[in-house]
Amino acid sequence: MQALSSFLLLALLLSSSPLLANKQIKLTSLDWPPYSGPTLPEKGASVAVVKAAFEASGYQVQVDFFPWERAVALAKDPNKGYAGYFPEYYAQELEADCVFSEPIGTSPLGFAQHKQAPVTWIGLDDLSTLKIGVVSGYVNEAEFDKRVAAGKQPVEAVTGDDQNLKKVGVKRLPLAVIDKHVMNYLLNNDPSLDSFKANIEFNGKLLEDKKLHVCFRKGPQSAEYSKALADGLKKIDIEAITKKHFQ
């Protein structure tokens, strides 16, 4: 009888273990090192945080990687099986489609610049005569994006941060919007940027220290997923998980 009781207790414990959870969620992401990417350790800092938080709430997570605009489109399509995408900056215009999660980390957003041609600015008006590099489909800082939409800020869009860094490195662009950790990672790990690395630095003034989120597609389970992630985030140390990816 004692052996049977022990067996039943063990079975109960195992059935409640997150490792054996049968709840699953599929998300999309992009190759945006060091935050996310299929070849990164733990698939990147943001992926490591999201997986740890969901697992703490009893979910198994599958993350599939695509170019950014495709990652967003797939996550928004209810027929593709994805519950959302990440990492995303908050933007009011995205609330029509997104239930934003609690923050899964932060992103120091600013500008890459050429070391021999640093740009000093106080407000966004000071940048209005400069053509600035951006990545197509990315949310930037809210007021900056409003100025771009209103035609008050000239920009040149590309499909990846590496392209903008090359343009800054040869002074084709004075500035390019980029996350500081992304810039440092690319300059130190992308061989195609080796000849530009010595010329590029991060501008001393941030656009914004952005919060990163999961955007859950609005639907019957979005509130459940958002709560599960929020509960899991309370059980993990986000800073400890992400710190090793930024070294």
Side-chain angles (χ1 to χ4, degrees), residues 74-188:
L74 286 170
K76 289 182 178 180
D77 188 337
N79 298 314
K80 298 301 183 181
Y82 294 104
Y85 68 93
F86 74 102
E88 177 63 285
Y89 298 147
Y90 171 80
Q92 186 175 7
E93 61 267 24
L94 297 180
E95 287 190 328
D97 300 310
C98 283
V99 173
F100 281 95
S101 74
E102 290 296 310
I104 59 171
T106 59
S107 164
L109 187 69
F111 298 108
Q113 66 182 12
H114 197 287
K115 289 181 179 179
Q116 295 178 358
V119 176
T120 300
W121 62 285
I122 297 174
L124 292 177
D125 282 341
D126 300 328
L127 305 176
S128 62
T129 60
L130 304 177
K131 181 177 285 188
I132 296 176
V134 297
V135 177
S136 180
Y138 281 17
V139 170
N140 300 299
E141 189 271 338
E143 187 58 32
F144 178 88
D145 286 345
K146 287 180 182 178
R147 292 176 64 85
V148 172
K152 296 180 179 180
Q153 176 60 61
V155 296
E156 185 172 311
V158 296
T159 58
D161 288 302
D162 58 327
Q163 298 170 50
N164 273 334
L165 290 176
K166 291 173 183 177
K167 291 181 179 182
V168 169
V170 294
K171 297 184 180 179
R172 281 186 55 190
L173 290 172
L175 296 171
V177 180
I178 194 168
D179 170 278
K180 185 176 183 179
H181 296 309
V182 172
M183 187 194 82
N184 289 338
Y185 182 92
L186 291 174
L187 291 178
N188 290 322

Side-chain angles (χ1 to χ4, degrees), residues 206-222:
L206 283 180
L207 263 174
E208 186 179 356
D209 194 19
K210 304 283 289 186
K211 290 181 172 62
L212 296 170
H213 305 267
V214 176
C215 165
F216 294 107
R217 186 188 68 256
K218 284 189 174 180
Q221 292 181 286
S222 55

Side-chain angles (χ1 to χ4, degrees), residues 180-201:
K180 185 176 183 179
H181 296 309
V182 172
M183 187 194 82
N184 289 338
Y185 182 92
L186 291 174
L187 291 178
N188 290 322
N189 293 277
D190 186 341
S192 73
L193 294 171
D194 285 349
S195 60
F196 306 94
K197 180 178 178 179
N199 297 331
I200 299 172
E201 64 183 5

Side-chain angles (χ1 to χ4, degrees), residues 44-66:
S46 294
V47 177
V49 168
V50 168
K51 283 192 171 183
F54 266 122
E55 287 172 2
S57 290
Y59 283 78
Q60 294 178 338
V61 184
Q62 176 181 323
V63 180
D64 295 331
F65 297 90
F66 304 93

